[in-house]
Amino acid sequence: MDIRDRRILEELQEDATVAVADLADTVGLSVSACWRRIKALEDAGFITRRVALIDRRKSNVPMTVFVVIRTSRHSMEWLDSFRKVIADIPEIVEAYRLTGDIDYLLRLVVPSVDVYDAVYKKMISRLDFTDITSSISMEELKFTTSIPLKYT
């Protein structure tokens, strides 16, 4: 990983549809050399996939809900069941297992509180939880899909 690889990744994080010729010009490489580096970055697992980012508001899911989950069960069986529950709910766009007094944190995108309530009811009908607490985001202060590359 050198400075040109990092530049390629930085540019692709901003726009994965950029033409290879334009990207090559930006990072100071020939088109074929740039393409080889992109392929090598894909093969090495740095580039895992290329996706389109969809505007949530235009897709009628403007509300972000953060859900804190606590459970008294910490078995692999419960965790596997939880993974299956959240995998089946498309409104859950991120899920994390945490250290500390919170066991799991979910991020959901929904059109309304009513839809969140339906998701909540679906979850509690399929699995036992000790506590579920939700917070609705009032304002998104920062959102990015780009990761810092200075550590590579």
Side-chain angles (χ1 to χ4, degrees), residues 27-82:
V27 299
L29 291 169
S30 70
V31 173
S32 58
C34 186
W35 177 248
R36 281 193 303 273
R37 283 179 180 252
I38 293 169
K39 182 69 175 129
L41 290 164
E42 289 173 336
D43 292 346
F46 284 97
I47 300 171
T48 58
R49 60 188 172 146
R50 299 180 195 200
V51 299
L53 301 178
I54 308 300
D55 186 296
R56 290 184 305 109
R57 284 166 184 76
K58 290 183 180 178
S59 300
N60 195 34
V61 286
M63 184 179 292
T64 299
V65 182
F66 293 95
V67 179
V68 171
I69 295 177
R70 291 180 179 87
T71 181
S72 60
R73 298 191 54 204
H74 296 279
S75 67
M76 287 306 297
E77 177 185 337
W78 191 93
L79 179 57
D80 289 342
S81 296
F82 181 63

Side-chain angles (χ1 to χ4, degrees), residues 87-125:
D88 291 342
I89 302 173
E91 292 85 358
I92 300 172
V93 294
E94 293 182 70
Y96 301 92
R97 187 168 58 92
L98 305 175
T99 62
D101 61 347
I102 297 170
D103 296 311
Y104 302 93
L105 177 65
L106 309 178
R107 184 172 73 89
L108 288 73
V109 293
V110 293
S112 66
V113 171
D114 291 338
V115 172
Y116 168 67
D117 189 46
V119 169
Y120 169 83
K121 289 174 181 173
K122 180 187 275 188
M123 289 175 52
I124 65 170
S125 73

